[in-house]
Amino acid sequence: MPNLNQAPLVLTIDMGTQSARALLCDPKGNIVAKAQKNYLQPYISRQPGWAEQSADFYWAAICECCQKLKAEQEALWPGIIAVTSSTIRDSCVCLDEHMRPLRDIILWLDDRESGNIAVPRVFSAIFRVAGMTETVAHQRRVSACNWIAEHEPEIWAKTAKFVLLSAWLTHRLCGNLTDAIASTVGHVPFSNKHRTWMTSNDLARPIFDVRDEQCYDLAEAGTAFGRITEAAAADTGIPAGLPLIATGSDKACETLGLGCATPDVAALSFGSTATVEITTPTYMEPFPFIPPYCSVMPGYYTPEVEIFRGYWLISWFKKEFAALEGVEAERLGVSVEQLLNQRLQEVPPGCDGLIMHPYFTPGLVMPSARGSVIGFSDLHTRMHCYRSIIEGINFALMEGLEIIEKRGKLKAKRLMVAGGGSQSAEICQITANMFGLPLQRVHTHEVTGLGSSLVGFVAMGIHKTYETAVAAMVHPQEAFMPDAAQSALYRKIYEDIFVKVFDKLKPFYSEMKKMKG
């Protein structure tokens, strides 16, 4: 029974790419307690470019985090009124008729490709007229369902349900194979516009070789999936019988946790994948045939533009170019990122003419893209390269926000930011200068967990609406105000150079892809 003498708490599980967390959040948005497990091996690569992991790996991480949190905060345990869960996107599981995994999970980082790209002739003609043939072919190649059907037909034949990681974990927790609509983000036949599975008449349905019977039940955020089972309670230490509340994917919860509930506030995420998105009640495709994702707020959407490798580029730079900084950071007792970010001020805005295009991994809109750096001269240093990465990611996100604004006939007035890169005040100030908009962080780095917990409190009636919950639980902190002179310089670089580079290099990217093939 809940302890009536303490504030009610929501237990939130946050399953990320690099670590798992179990959080206790109160109705004011305070992260009261946390247990975290960093993965020693986030994924397994049996071949170059592959990224897989055992489904049981994630369940074991949940169990360890929850049991640790309970051991450390047992006095708070009776105050838990509900459980929520948020996970990484686009990571798929093949389940047999007994709901047991048939193979390891193929994660969102995986870049294997299927050779089966043909679609029915009537659909291919429509795609050709719309100028989307290359994008559709790329989407079909990179869909894990198609690769499994082509290369592992015996497993595909036994696959009773083809689910995302979020659905698998819901099943483990409450016994029901159901997923949140706002978690259904991946290479699956889901209609974001209608917030349900595609029908046979849907234009994009032929892209995915998923049979109708392999799909599963979906629920809007705020719905109770079921209750924590006795078996799950024994494994995790979570009290049996607590309601498990549907929320959304990591990005969906992060956006709400930043307080971005209206179209005039843009959410930036400086994670492994860098993104920009807004929340709107209008269904609006940022690119033709590229749908907005479903918000955790029922009836709302989050059009998003992503830079697939985003702040992964910082890890790449550290590994390949920052050995000296690594030695110095160890001597000073700080992280390499802290040292690099402190040195950002050594390089002027615009990096003395060095410009990076951060498209290290092709995407749906630019399937032939590659990364590039232009403008090298003998005055450039490693720190110029480092700052050009930060500026290149921001330029790409600026372009993404501009696309969303034009498609939606709207204008963002301020920015909210989360993700590892946002912990740097230097990066936040550069970002505000580049966008020419005020930028804020919130009171906690656990923004995904905060957003997921917020949904739980609304579902349990502690907060009556999402608007009142955001007001009570999301607390913007210091604002980084743009420098007008620097904003003007960045706008000139963006308009005169950055946005023109890709089209100039695209023919060479296509030739490089042929050579690689």
Side-chain angles (χ1 to χ4, degrees), residues 106-279:
I106 298 179
L107 301 177
W108 68 273
L109 287 162
D110 193 283
D111 66 0
R112 75 188 72 192
E113 293 189 2
S114 166
N116 181 15
I117 63 172
V119 298
R121 185 173 301 175
V122 62
F123 288 100
S124 62
I126 297 172
F127 293 140
R128 186 167 56 253
V129 170
M132 295 297 292
T133 299
E134 188 177 10
T135 296
V136 170
H138 174 77
Q139 178 87 307
R140 188 156 174 78
R141 281 196 303 269
V142 301
S143 295
C145 57
N146 300 336
W147 186 92
I148 297 169
E150 180 180 1
H151 295 276
E152 299 176 348
E154 69 289 349
I155 287 179
W156 193 240
K158 295 177 183 176
T159 300
K161 298 293 181 182
F162 185 71
V163 308
L164 297 175
L165 173 61
S166 46
W168 161 240
L169 295 179
T170 295
H171 179 263
R172 291 300 305 263
L173 287 166
C174 73
N176 298 323
L177 188 67
T178 312
D179 205 359
I181 286 172
S183 290
T184 312
V185 179
H187 293 80
V188 291
F190 176 75
S191 170
N192 289 272
K193 184 173 185 177
H194 300 105
R195 305 176 84 91
T196 189
W197 298 111
M198 295 177 182
T199 67
S200 58
N201 294 325
D202 195 294
L203 184 60
R205 184 64 180 88
I207 294 174
F208 311 102
D209 282 339
V210 178
R211 304 185 301 272
D212 290 346
E213 64 271 18
Q214 290 176 311
C215 298
Y216 44 95
D217 293 336
L218 301 172
E220 283 284 7
T223 303
F225 285 133
R227 295 185 177 273
I228 301 299
T229 64
E230 294 287 350
D235 287 345
T236 64
I238 302 172
L242 282 177
L244 178 63
I245 306 299
T247 62
S249 69
D250 53 356
K251 293 289 186 183
C253 290
E254 180 183 85
T255 300
L256 185 62
L258 286 171
C260 298
T262 55
D264 61 337
V265 185
L268 299 178
S269 180
F270 291 164
S272 298
T273 294
T275 61
V276 58
E277 60 191 22
I278 63 163
T279 300

Side-chain angles (χ1 to χ4, degrees), residues 17 43 49 51 89-91 107-112 138-139 142 185-187 251 269-276 293 304-314 357-366 369 392-393 396-397:
T17 303
Y43 58 87
R89 310 185 294 189
D90 197 15
S91 299
L107 301 177
W108 68 273
L109 287 162
D110 193 283
D111 66 0
R112 75 188 72 192
H138 174 77
Q139 178 87 307
V142 301
V185 179
H187 293 80
K251 293 289 186 183
S269 180
F270 291 164
S272 298
T273 294
T275 61
V276 58
Y293 298 127
E304 174 186 294
V305 175
E306 65 177 19
I307 312 305
F308 189 71
R309 284 294 181 176
Y311 272 75
W312 168 89
L313 290 172
I314 302 302
H357 261 217
Y359 309 118
F360 276 48
T361 300
L364 294 177
V365 179
M366 299 186 294
I393 294 170
L397 293 174

Side-chain angles (χ1 to χ4, degrees), residues 420-438:
S422 70
Q423 297 181 34
S424 163
E426 295 87 355
I427 290 176
C428 286
Q429 187 60 60
I430 290 171
T431 303
N433 293 341
M434 293 183 70
F435 278 80
L437 292 171

